[in-house]
Amino acid sequence: MESKKRHLGLVLSEFYHVMYREKKPLMVSPSFLLTTVMIQDLDIIRDLMMTNFEYFSDRGGFVNHQDPLSYTIVALTYNVWKPTRQKLSPTFTPAKLKTMFPTLVQIGEQFVNVIRSQLDAGVEDLNIDDLCSRFTTDVIGNIAFGIECNSLVNPSTEFRLYGEKATDFNIHPIFNIIGGKYPTLFRLLNLKMFNKEMTNFFTRIVRQTIEYREANNIRRNDFMDLLIELKKSDDGSDGFALSLEMIVAQVFSFFIAGYGTSSATLSYALYELAKNPAEQTKVRQNIEEVLVKSKNNTITYDGLQEMTYLQQAIQETLRKYPIVPNLRRMCRRPCTLHDSNGRVACEIPKDTFIGISVYGIHHNPDYYPQPEIFRPERFSDAEIAKRPACSYLPFGIGPRACMGLRFAKMQVAFCLALLLTHFKFSFSNTTPKDLSFDPGNPVFLTVKGGINLKVEKL
């Protein structure tokens, strides 16, 4: 019952801290359906996520071939995941991201105008959570699907409504985990994670976009363009061809991964900068120092990389609020794990789930003194060098780390840089002194009730 009242990330974090205090490298949580091994020892985490990756390369998600949206790269088993990852990885190189950057700039300008219009209308207390969600919807919808969603102007657009439905995780996580454990049974019963309406909507959008672009020879230098080119050049020589269904699933995966996580990161960052005005000033000064050197005082892709303190503030935000608070892996075949002293810690049977509390690690005072304090300086090169490997896991680690992390970082850094050059953020009478997380969404760390901030023009 407690996990229903409190976010699962916080519940598992408490288990982590008990294990850490009692110097238990891992703990077995037996269950008839889902035996899980919780791990807190960083050396063991590095071992299973990197050194012995081939044993723990699956996340244990459920894939039903008659449910196209479930066929995302996040859920794929190793044999299908590997060729898919190899095909998709080139779409997130810095060179490719630079081609997407102008679209980001265009939507960012609209974001600023929407906030200005609300301030001009006399509204100072803004729902930042909602605004950031609308911004990322427009960005992901535009770059992933090639659609101008315009949810910044009209929050009730069809695309945003379906996006909210797709990220409603009240039932999906348990269904997904049990399905990953017993896939043959679930497929025999033809159980699906997503209903027909959801599948038809996203499939129709992708198919229409591909057909229109191919018929009219249109290129937009976005994620969809890259997938279309990949489909054309993919001869299936590796035994796995990129079908329309696979494209739909990967575009949908990109949307889900970028929609909620990036907007939540933006909201948390603005909340902390509003709560810590001295840090907000430092970040703004860092941005302005870089802009002075740029042409026409504009934000560029390369300029974002030079905004060191801004980047540190984002890293600290993800340290304090890891959007994915728990990592999950499944053991593909029996494996022996060793502790930091080389002693056998545990024999892991096949199909056993592994759990890692990212939230717990990020709030361990031995790694991050006074973990509840927002301090971007923790991520200077000197401070990072003092911490052990695997003590920072907002995007996972190893071969199966988040593939779109460069895009996510670019999107968040650009938006923050843009907003902080135009506006000042502070607490209002309706801003919560402490944030509470929505227990109804155990997959992502989202705020219950949203975040309101006072916004002023600079």
Side-chain angles (χ1 to χ4, degrees), residues 162-185:
Y162 272 99
E164 289 181 344
K165 289 180 181 179
T167 52
D168 181 3
F169 287 102
N170 287 324
I171 298 176
H172 293 176
I174 301 301
F175 180 97
N176 190 26
I177 293 172
I178 297 177
K181 178 76 172 181
Y182 305 100
T184 303
L185 174 62

PDB file of all heavy atoms in Angstrom, residues 162-185:
ATOM      1  N   TYR A 162      -3.206  12.970 -27.450  1.00  0.00           N
ATOM      2  CA  TYR A 162      -2.748  11.590 -27.610  1.00  0.00           C
ATOM      3  C   TYR A 162      -1.418  11.375 -26.903  1.00  0.00           C
ATOM      4  O   TYR A 162      -1.132  10.287 -26.399  1.00  0.00           O
ATOM      5  CB  TYR A 162      -2.634  11.228 -29.093  1.00  0.00           C
ATOM      6  CG  TYR A 162      -3.921  10.706 -29.676  1.00  0.00           C
ATOM      7  CD1 TYR A 162      -4.768  11.541 -30.408  1.00  0.00           C
ATOM      8  CD2 TYR A 162      -4.302   9.383 -29.485  1.00  0.00           C
ATOM      9  CE1 TYR A 162      -5.959  11.065 -30.936  1.00  0.00           C
ATOM     10  CE2 TYR A 162      -5.494   8.899 -30.014  1.00  0.00           C
ATOM     11  CZ  TYR A 162      -6.320   9.741 -30.733  1.00  0.00           C
ATOM     12  OH  TYR A 162      -7.503   9.261 -31.247  1.00  0.00           O
ATOM     13  N   GLY A 163      -0.591  12.405 -26.873  1.00  0.00           N
ATOM     14  CA  GLY A 163       0.673  12.305 -26.150  1.00  0.00           C
ATOM     15  C   GLY A 163       0.461  12.085 -24.667  1.00  0.00           C
ATOM     16  O   GLY A 163       1.151  11.269 -24.033  1.00  0.00           O
ATOM     17  N   GLU A 164      -0.516  12.780 -24.100  1.00  0.00           N
ATOM     18  CA  GLU A 164      -0.816  12.607 -22.674  1.00  0.00           C
ATOM     19  C   GLU A 164      -1.377  11.215 -22.404  1.00  0.00           C
ATOM     20  O   GLU A 164      -1.062  10.597 -21.389  1.00  0.00           O
ATOM     21  CB  GLU A 164      -1.801  13.691 -22.226  1.00  0.00           C
ATOM     22  CG  GLU A 164      -1.171  15.080 -22.170  1.00  0.00           C
ATOM     23  CD  GLU A 164      -2.151  16.134 -21.691  1.00  0.00           C
ATOM     24  OE1 GLU A 164      -3.374  15.868 -21.698  1.00  0.00           O
ATOM     25  OE2 GLU A 164      -1.687  17.215 -21.295  1.00  0.00           O
ATOM     26  N   LYS A 165      -2.198  10.726 -23.320  1.00  0.00           N
ATOM     27  CA  LYS A 165      -2.735   9.367 -23.157  1.00  0.00           C
ATOM     28  C   LYS A 165      -1.606   8.334 -23.207  1.00  0.00           C
ATOM     29  O   LYS A 165      -1.602   7.364 -22.451  1.00  0.00           O
ATOM     30  CB  LYS A 165      -3.754   9.058 -24.260  1.00  0.00           C
ATOM     31  CG  LYS A 165      -5.073   9.800 -24.139  1.00  0.00           C
ATOM     32  CD  LYS A 165      -5.997   9.420 -25.294  1.00  0.00           C
ATOM     33  CE  LYS A 165      -7.325  10.171 -25.220  1.00  0.00           C
ATOM     34  NZ  LYS A 165      -8.219   9.816 -26.354  1.00  0.00           N
ATOM     35  N   ALA A 166      -0.662   8.561 -24.103  1.00  0.00           N
ATOM     36  CA  ALA A 166       0.434   7.602 -24.279  1.00  0.00           C
ATOM     37  C   ALA A 166       1.350   7.546 -23.068  1.00  0.00           C
ATOM     38  O   ALA A 166       1.995   6.528 -22.809  1.00  0.00           O
ATOM     39  CB  ALA A 166       1.251   7.961 -25.516  1.00  0.00           C
ATOM     40  N   THR A 167       1.424   8.635 -22.310  1.00  0.00           N
ATOM     41  CA  THR A 167       2.299   8.664 -21.139  1.00  0.00           C
ATOM     42  C   THR A 167       1.532   8.426 -19.839  1.00  0.00           C
ATOM     43  O   THR A 167       2.050   8.680 -18.751  1.00  0.00           O
ATOM     44  CB  THR A 167       3.034  10.014 -21.047  1.00  0.00           C
ATOM     45  OG1 THR A 167       2.088  11.085 -21.117  1.00  0.00           O
ATOM     46  CG2 THR A 167       4.024  10.164 -22.178  1.00  0.00           C
ATOM     47  N   ASP A 168       0.308   7.941 -19.949  1.00  0.00           N
ATOM     48  CA  ASP A 168      -0.470   7.589 -18.764  1.00  0.00           C
ATOM     49  C   ASP A 168      -0.055   6.188 -18.326  1.00  0.00           C
ATOM     50  O   ASP A 168      -0.439   5.189 -18.917  1.00  0.00           O
ATOM     51  CB  ASP A 168      -1.970   7.618 -19.077  1.00  0.00           C
ATOM     52  CG  ASP A 168      -2.821   7.284 -17.859  1.00  0.00           C
ATOM     53  OD1 ASP A 168      -2.249   7.082 -16.774  1.00  0.00           O
ATOM     54  OD2 ASP A 168      -4.056   7.224 -18.005  1.00  0.00           O
ATOM     55  N   PHE A 169       0.743   6.115 -17.233  1.00  0.00           N
ATOM     56  CA  PHE A 169       1.347   4.843 -16.839  1.00  0.00           C
ATOM     57  C   PHE A 169       0.665   4.186 -15.638  1.00  0.00           C
ATOM     58  O   PHE A 169       1.284   3.477 -14.876  1.00  0.00           O
ATOM     59  CB  PHE A 169       2.825   5.059 -16.509  1.00  0.00           C
ATOM     60  CG  PHE A 169       3.666   5.300 -17.724  1.00  0.00           C
ATOM     61  CD1 PHE A 169       4.065   6.584 -18.057  1.00  0.00           C
ATOM     62  CD2 PHE A 169       4.050   4.259 -18.532  1.00  0.00           C
ATOM     63  CE1 PHE A 169       4.846   6.805 -19.177  1.00  0.00           C
ATOM     64  CE2 PHE A 169       4.837   4.474 -19.664  1.00  0.00           C
ATOM     65  CZ  PHE A 169       5.232   5.757 -19.975  1.00  0.00           C
ATOM     66  N   ASN A 170      -0.605   4.446 -15.458  1.00  0.00           N
ATOM     67  CA  ASN A 170      -1.264   3.888 -14.279  1.00  0.00           C
ATOM     68  C   ASN A 170      -1.287   2.362 -14.291  1.00  0.00           C
ATOM     69  O   ASN A 170      -1.256   1.718 -13.255  1.00  0.00           O
ATOM     70  CB  ASN A 170      -2.702   4.419 -14.193  1.00  0.00           C
ATOM     71  CG  ASN A 170      -2.731   5.875 -13.761  1.00  0.00           C
ATOM     72  OD1 ASN A 170      -1.911   6.286 -12.944  1.00  0.00           O
ATOM     73  ND2 ASN A 170      -3.639   6.647 -14.310  1.00  0.00           N
ATOM     74  N   ILE A 171      -1.346   1.748 -15.469  1.00  0.00           N
ATOM     75  CA  ILE A 171      -1.418   0.284 -15.570  1.00  0.00           C
ATOM     76  C   ILE A 171      -0.180  -0.268 -16.268  1.00  0.00           C
ATOM     77  O   ILE A 171       0.337  -1.308 -15.898  1.00  0.00           O
ATOM     78  CB  ILE A 171      -2.689  -0.143 -16.341  1.00  0.00           C
ATOM     79  CG1 ILE A 171      -3.929   0.313 -15.595  1.00  0.00           C
ATOM     80  CG2 ILE A 171      -2.715  -1.646 -16.553  1.00  0.00           C
ATOM     81  CD1 ILE A 171      -5.224   0.030 -16.327  1.00  0.00           C
ATOM     82  N   HIS A 172       0.341   0.423 -17.226  1.00  0.00           N
ATOM     83  CA  HIS A 172       1.377  -0.094 -18.103  1.00  0.00           C
ATOM     84  C   HIS A 172       2.596  -0.711 -17.425  1.00  0.00           C
ATOM     85  O   HIS A 172       3.055  -1.762 -17.851  1.00  0.00           O
ATOM     86  CB  HIS A 172       1.836   0.996 -19.077  1.00  0.00           C
ATOM     87  CG  HIS A 172       0.776   1.389 -20.050  1.00  0.00           C
ATOM     88  ND1 HIS A 172       0.935   2.393 -20.964  1.00  0.00           N
ATOM     89  CD2 HIS A 172      -0.477   0.908 -20.244  1.00  0.00           C
ATOM     90  CE1 HIS A 172      -0.162   2.522 -21.678  1.00  0.00           C
ATOM     91  NE2 HIS A 172      -1.032   1.644 -21.259  1.00  0.00           N
ATOM     92  N   PRO A 173       3.203  -0.106 -16.397  1.00  0.00           N
ATOM     93  CA  PRO A 173       4.456  -0.665 -15.873  1.00  0.00           C
ATOM     94  C   PRO A 173       4.338  -2.106 -15.385  1.00  0.00           C
ATOM     95  O   PRO A 173       5.181  -2.941 -15.716  1.00  0.00           O
ATOM     96  CB  PRO A 173       4.805   0.287 -14.721  1.00  0.00           C
ATOM     97  CG  PRO A 173       4.120   1.547 -15.056  1.00  0.00           C
ATOM     98  CD  PRO A 173       2.844   1.134 -15.718  1.00  0.00           C
ATOM     99  N   ILE A 174       3.320  -2.400 -14.572  1.00  0.00           N
ATOM    100  CA  ILE A 174       3.175  -3.759 -14.047  1.00  0.00           C
ATOM    101  C   ILE A 174       2.893  -4.727 -15.184  1.00  0.00           C
ATOM    102  O   ILE A 174       3.470  -5.815 -15.265  1.00  0.00           O
ATOM    103  CB  ILE A 174       2.030  -3.809 -13.008  1.00  0.00           C
ATOM    104  CG1 ILE A 174       2.321  -2.846 -11.857  1.00  0.00           C
ATOM    105  CG2 ILE A 174       1.854  -5.231 -12.492  1.00  0.00           C
ATOM    106  CD1 ILE A 174       3.617  -3.142 -11.127  1.00  0.00           C
ATOM    107  N   PHE A 175       2.014  -4.305 -16.087  1.00  0.00           N
ATOM    108  CA  PHE A 175       1.690  -5.109 -17.267  1.00  0.00           C
ATOM    109  C   PHE A 175       2.962  -5.387 -18.058  1.00  0.00           C
ATOM    110  O   PHE A 175       3.230  -6.514 -18.479  1.00  0.00           O
ATOM    111  CB  PHE A 175       0.678  -4.343 -18.117  1.00  0.00           C
ATOM    112  CG  PHE A 175       0.256  -5.056 -19.373  1.00  0.00           C
ATOM    113  CD1 PHE A 175      -0.906  -5.798 -19.407  1.00  0.00           C
ATOM    114  CD2 PHE A 175       1.017  -4.969 -20.529  1.00  0.00           C
ATOM    115  CE1 PHE A 175      -1.306  -6.448 -20.566  1.00  0.00           C
ATOM    116  CE2 PHE A 175       0.631  -5.612 -21.692  1.00  0.00           C
ATOM    117  CZ  PHE A 175      -0.530  -6.352 -21.712  1.00  0.00           C
ATOM    118  N   ASN A 176       3.772  -4.350 -18.251  1.00  0.00           N
ATOM    119  CA  ASN A 176       4.987  -4.455 -19.056  1.00  0.00           C
ATOM    120  C   ASN A 176       6.001  -5.402 -18.416  1.00  0.00           C
ATOM    121  O   ASN A 176       6.616  -6.231 -19.090  1.00  0.00           O
ATOM    122  CB  ASN A 176       5.595  -3.057 -19.216  1.00  0.00           C
ATOM    123  CG  ASN A 176       6.717  -3.029 -20.232  1.00  0.00           C
ATOM    124  OD1 ASN A 176       6.760  -3.843 -21.134  1.00  0.00           O
ATOM    125  ND2 ASN A 176       7.626  -2.099 -20.067  1.00  0.00           N
ATOM    126  N   ILE A 177       6.176  -5.286 -17.102  1.00  0.00           N
ATOM    127  CA  ILE A 177       7.165  -6.112 -16.407  1.00  0.00           C
ATOM    128  C   ILE A 177       6.758  -7.584 -16.416  1.00  0.00           C
ATOM    129  O   ILE A 177       7.559  -8.471 -16.726  1.00  0.00           O
ATOM    130  CB  ILE A 177       7.358  -5.613 -14.964  1.00  0.00           C
ATOM    131  CG1 ILE A 177       8.003  -4.223 -14.973  1.00  0.00           C
ATOM    132  CG2 ILE A 177       8.230  -6.572 -14.171  1.00  0.00           C
ATOM    133  CD1 ILE A 177       8.049  -3.564 -13.618  1.00  0.00           C
ATOM    134  N   ILE A 178       5.485  -7.862 -16.077  1.00  0.00           N
ATOM    135  CA  ILE A 178       5.026  -9.251 -16.058  1.00  0.00           C
ATOM    136  C   ILE A 178       5.056  -9.836 -17.470  1.00  0.00           C
ATOM    137  O   ILE A 178       5.434 -10.989 -17.688  1.00  0.00           O
ATOM    138  CB  ILE A 178       3.610  -9.351 -15.459  1.00  0.00           C
ATOM    139  CG1 ILE A 178       3.621  -8.882 -13.991  1.00  0.00           C
ATOM    140  CG2 ILE A 178       3.095 -10.782 -15.543  1.00  0.00           C
ATOM    141  CD1 ILE A 178       2.272  -8.879 -13.331  1.00  0.00           C
ATOM    142  N   GLY A 179       4.709  -8.994 -18.461  1.00  0.00           N
ATOM    143  CA  GLY A 179       4.770  -9.446 -19.845  1.00  0.00           C
ATOM    144  C   GLY A 179       6.181  -9.758 -20.287  1.00  0.00           C
ATOM    145  O   GLY A 179       6.411 -10.683 -21.071  1.00  0.00           O
ATOM    146  N   GLY A 180       7.163  -8.979 -19.773  1.00  0.00           N
ATOM    147  CA  GLY A 180       8.554  -9.259 -20.080  1.00  0.00           C
ATOM    148  C   GLY A 180       9.034 -10.555 -19.456  1.00  0.00           C
ATOM    149  O   GLY A 180       9.907 -11.241 -20.000  1.00  0.00           O
ATOM    150  N   LYS A 181       8.460 -10.888 -18.315  1.00  0.00           N
ATOM    151  CA  LYS A 181       8.826 -12.126 -17.624  1.00  0.00           C
ATOM    152  C   LYS A 181       8.183 -13.344 -18.287  1.00  0.00           C
ATOM    153  O   LYS A 181       8.791 -14.412 -18.390  1.00  0.00           O
ATOM    154  CB  LYS A 181       8.377 -12.029 -16.160  1.00  0.00           C
ATOM    155  CG  LYS A 181       8.644 -13.269 -15.319  1.00  0.00           C
ATOM    156  CD  LYS A 181      10.090 -13.400 -14.914  1.00  0.00           C
ATOM    157  CE  LYS A 181      10.266 -14.527 -13.914  1.00  0.00           C
ATOM    158  NZ  LYS A 181      11.667 -14.672 -13.486  1.00  0.00           N
ATOM    159  N   TYR A 182       6.931 -13.190 -18.750  1.00  0.00           N
ATOM    160  CA  TYR A 182       6.199 -14.305 -19.350  1.00  0.00           C
ATOM    161  C   TYR A 182       5.693 -13.911 -20.745  1.00  0.00           C
ATOM    162  O   TYR A 182       4.479 -13.882 -20.993  1.00  0.00           O
ATOM    163  CB  TYR A 182       5.026 -14.702 -18.456  1.00  0.00           C
ATOM    164  CG  TYR A 182       5.435 -15.016 -17.037  1.00  0.00           C
ATOM    165  CD1 TYR A 182       5.269 -14.083 -16.018  1.00  0.00           C
ATOM    166  CD2 TYR A 182       6.009 -16.248 -16.720  1.00  0.00           C
ATOM    167  CE1 TYR A 182       5.661 -14.371 -14.711  1.00  0.00           C
ATOM    168  CE2 TYR A 182       6.402 -16.538 -15.422  1.00  0.00           C
ATOM    169  CZ  TYR A 182       6.221 -15.591 -14.421  1.00  0.00           C
ATOM    170  OH  TYR A 182       6.612 -15.882 -13.134  1.00  0.00           O
ATOM    171  N   PRO A 183       6.613 -13.599 -21.671  1.00  0.00           N
ATOM    172  CA  PRO A 183       6.196 -13.110 -22.997  1.00  0.00           C
ATOM    173  C   PRO A 183       5.399 -14.118 -23.809  1.00  0.00           C
ATOM    174  O   PRO A 183       4.467 -13.739 -24.522  1.00  0.00           O
ATOM    175  CB  PRO A 183       7.536 -12.777 -23.676  1.00  0.00           C
ATOM    176  CG  PRO A 183       8.541 -13.647 -22.981  1.00  0.00           C
ATOM    177  CD  PRO A 183       8.077 -13.734 -21.566  1.00  0.00           C
ATOM    178  N   THR A 184       5.750 -15.404 -23.726  1.00  0.00           N
ATOM    179  CA  THR A 184       5.049 -16.421 -24.525  1.00  0.00           C
ATOM    180  C   THR A 184       3.575 -16.478 -24.147  1.00  0.00           C
ATOM    181  O   THR A 184       2.689 -16.528 -25.018  1.00  0.00           O
ATOM    182  CB  THR A 184       5.693 -17.806 -24.328  1.00  0.00           C
ATOM    183  OG1 THR A 184       7.077 -17.732 -24.673  1.00  0.00           O
ATOM    184  CG2 THR A 184       5.007 -18.838 -25.206  1.00  0.00           C
ATOM    185  N   LEU A 185       3.295 -16.454 -22.847  1.00  0.00           N
ATOM    186  CA  LEU A 185       1.909 -16.486 -22.379  1.00  0.00           C
ATOM    187  C   LEU A 185       1.153 -15.241 -22.824  1.00  0.00           C
ATOM    188  O   LEU A 185       0.028 -15.333 -23.327  1.00  0.00           O
ATOM    189  CB  LEU A 185       1.881 -16.600 -20.855  1.00  0.00           C
ATOM    190  CG  LEU A 185       0.499 -16.493 -20.193  1.00  0.00           C
ATOM    191  CD1 LEU A 185      -0.403 -17.636 -20.665  1.00  0.00           C
ATOM    192  CD2 LEU A 185       0.622 -16.504 -18.668  1.00  0.00           C
TER     193      LEU A 185
END
